[in-house]
């Protein structure tokens, strides 16, 4: 539960607003029922039920976009109705709604909701004692909205940059191991649900340490970048490439069976042999390949591919080996 709140910003805002609404609105709803203001009490109750339902929906389905829109619309609409019904005291409820809209929905929708809420109160006019109070309220409401927009915009940019740093390898620009773990979990779940086959390929550059030692780390970095470029050019858009660590990479291939997978691996091997080079000559790559088995978990899947990669390295390099023990001897070349 806490982990979801830490990783899903919009869910945390929906949860915070839901809890705040329950703690802040409930006493007023009770008070209005006790005072005989039935309509205002029913409005408060409807607000609580709608926000509560959206909160439960967000937690159960993970759909924070729709639930965020419901919560933002309910908060703004409810604040307007309360302001109209109870007058000046109800106006204060609009301020927190004006701020939170920018964290619950996209900026354009938030602007529309905020402007519509303020204009609706101004058009009705019954909540204000004078024109001066009405224009003062509208001016402060727009200032609050502008400040909330700037803060939310900067906060969103910072979150995106942090997410990029946390999930993307800075050298090659592809996803890192953290992203890989998430995508493999999704692949396993999708395979169990739909029966779609998946393959994972672990690949390791042969004698990469020697390249770094003899030609420098700058050359080694260029080899990594070139490898990624060649793999991206030679795979489908649905395939995903990750940097596993150092000179090791993981390729996730959805929708491939054993026969098509051997053709894919043969093609990749030939392309890398032909185009992947460094100042000292050709660079070769070893591959470990594993098809996802029914009921298998990510750890077992990766472990089988890793064992196949070790076999490829131990038996001559520059080859691909399947986790079921079937290698490609006709494609094996001498160790470089």
């Amino acid at each position: 539960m806490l982990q979801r709140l830490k990783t899903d910003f919009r869910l945390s805002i929906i949860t915070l607003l839901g809890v705040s609404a329950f703690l802040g609105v409930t006493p007023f709803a009770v008070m209005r029922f006790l005072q005989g203001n039935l309509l205002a009490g029913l409005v408060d109750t409807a607000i609580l039920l709608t926000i509560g339902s959206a909160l439960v929906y967000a937690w159960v389905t993970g759909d924070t976009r729709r639930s965020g829109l419901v919560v933002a619309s309910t908060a703004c609409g409810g604040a307007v109705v309360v302001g109209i019904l109870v007058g000046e005291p109800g106006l204060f409820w609009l301020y927190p709604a004006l701020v939170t809209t920018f964290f619950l929905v996209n900026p354009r929708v938030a602007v529309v909701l905020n402007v519509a809420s303020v204009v609706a109160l101004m058009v009705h006019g019954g909540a204000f004692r004078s024109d001066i109070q009405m224009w003062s309220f509208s001016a402060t409401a727009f200032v609050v909205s502008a400040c909330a927009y700037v803060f939310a915009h900067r906060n969103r940019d910072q979150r995106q940059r942090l997410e990029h740093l946390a999930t993307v390898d800075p050298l090659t620009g592809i996803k890192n191991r953290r992203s890989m773990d998430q995508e493999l979990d999704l692949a396993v779940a999708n395979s169990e649900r739909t029966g779609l086959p998946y393959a994972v390929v672990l690949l390791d550059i042969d004698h990469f340490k020697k390249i770094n030692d003899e030609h420098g780390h700058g050359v080694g970095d260029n080899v990594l970048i070139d490898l990624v470029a060649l793999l991206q050019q030679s795979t489908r858009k649905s395939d995903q490439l990750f940097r596993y660590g150092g000179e090791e990479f993981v390729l996730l291939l959805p929708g491939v069976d054993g026969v098509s997978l051997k053709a894919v691996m043969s093609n990749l091997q030939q392309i890398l042999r032909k185009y992947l080079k460094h100042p000292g000559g050709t660079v070769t790559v070893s591959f470990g390949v594993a098809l996802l088995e029914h009921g298998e978990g990510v750890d077992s899947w990766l472990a089988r591919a890793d064992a196949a990669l070790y076999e490829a390295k131990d038996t001559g390099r520059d080859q691909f080996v399947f986790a079921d023990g079937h290698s490609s001897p006709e494609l094996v070349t001498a160790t470089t």
Side-chain angles (χ1 to χ4, degrees), residues 16-320:
L16 176 62
L17 188 59
V19 173
S20 299
F22 177 78
L23 296 176
V25 178
T26 300
F28 286 92
V30 173
M31 179 186 69
R32 282 161 186 156
F33 279 122
L34 293 176
Q35 291 176 343
N37 192 345
L38 182 62
L39 184 57
L42 290 174
V43 169
D44 288 339
T45 303
I47 292 172
L48 288 172
L49 290 176
T50 304
I51 293 179
S53 299
L55 176 60
V56 172
Y57 175 82
W59 274 96
V60 172
T61 66
D63 184 0
T64 57
R65 186 180 62 85
R66 288 187 178 88
S67 54
L69 178 60
V70 170
V71 171
S73 302
T74 301
C76 288
V80 170
V81 174
V82 170
I84 291 172
L85 291 177
V86 303
E88 183 180 354
L91 295 176
F92 296 101
W93 287 105
L94 185 60
Y95 286 108
L98 296 177
V99 174
T100 53
T101 52
F102 289 101
F103 298 96
L104 293 170
V105 295
N106 69 64
R108 291 182 180 179
V109 175
V111 169
V112 170
L113 287 174
N114 287 10
V115 171
S117 300
V118 176
V119 170
L121 285 170
M122 293 177 67
V123 170
H124 183 271
F128 305 103
R129 295 194 309 268
S130 65
D131 288 344
I132 293 178
Q133 185 189 40
M134 181 180 69
W135 287 105
S136 297
F137 171 81
S138 62
T140 56
F142 286 126
V143 169
V144 167
S145 296
C147 293
Y149 170 79
V150 172
F151 180 79
H153 180 73
R154 293 192 62 182
N155 181 274
R156 183 174 62 254
D157 287 345
Q158 290 173 349
R159 287 203 319 274
Q160 290 174 347
R161 285 197 292 267
L162 288 174
E163 289 173 0
H164 181 82
L165 291 173
T167 59
V168 175
D169 175 55
L171 175 64
T172 61
I174 61 174
K175 294 179 180 180
N176 61 15
R177 185 167 181 173
R178 179 178 179 181
S179 295
M180 181 197 76
D181 291 338
Q182 296 173 350
E183 294 297 335
L184 291 182
D185 285 335
L186 290 174
V188 169
N190 187 55
S191 179
E192 287 296 312
R193 185 176 64 255
T194 66
L196 182 71
Y198 281 87
V200 68
V201 181
L202 265 68
L203 52 139
D204 182 276
I205 298 175
D206 298 327
H207 304 297
F208 186 70
K209 184 177 183 301
K210 184 178 179 181
I211 295 175
N212 279 332
D213 291 343
E214 293 183 355
H215 303 282
H217 289 276
V219 172
D221 288 346
N222 288 334
V223 170
L224 295 175
I225 294 171
D226 291 342
L227 171 65
V228 167
L230 288 170
L231 289 172
Q232 289 179 326
Q233 293 169 10
S234 307
T235 52
R236 304 165 300 174
K237 291 183 178 180
S238 59
D239 301 332
Q240 297 190 67
L241 181 64
F242 311 92
R243 188 176 182 184
Y244 194 48
E247 69 273 24
E248 287 190 336
F249 295 83
V250 170
L251 187 60
L252 177 62
L253 305 171
V256 291
D257 55 22
V259 176
S260 61
L261 185 55
K262 287 185 178 181
V264 169
M265 295 310 304
S266 176
N267 180 59
L268 287 179
Q269 186 182 47
Q270 296 299 329
I271 289 173
L272 295 181
R273 281 177 179 172
K274 183 176 181 180
Y275 296 108
L276 189 60
K277 302 180 184 300
H278 74 298
T282 300
V283 179
T284 60
V285 178
S286 298
F287 306 85
V289 189
L291 279 165
L292 179 63
E293 297 179 349
H294 179 69
E296 186 175 26
V298 171
D299 291 340
S300 172
W301 189 19
L302 272 178
R304 290 192 301 111
D306 191 49
L309 174 61
Y310 272 101
E311 182 179 344
K313 302 287 281 187
D314 290 341
T315 56
R317 295 185 173 87
D318 187 23
Q319 62 178 314
F320 58 87

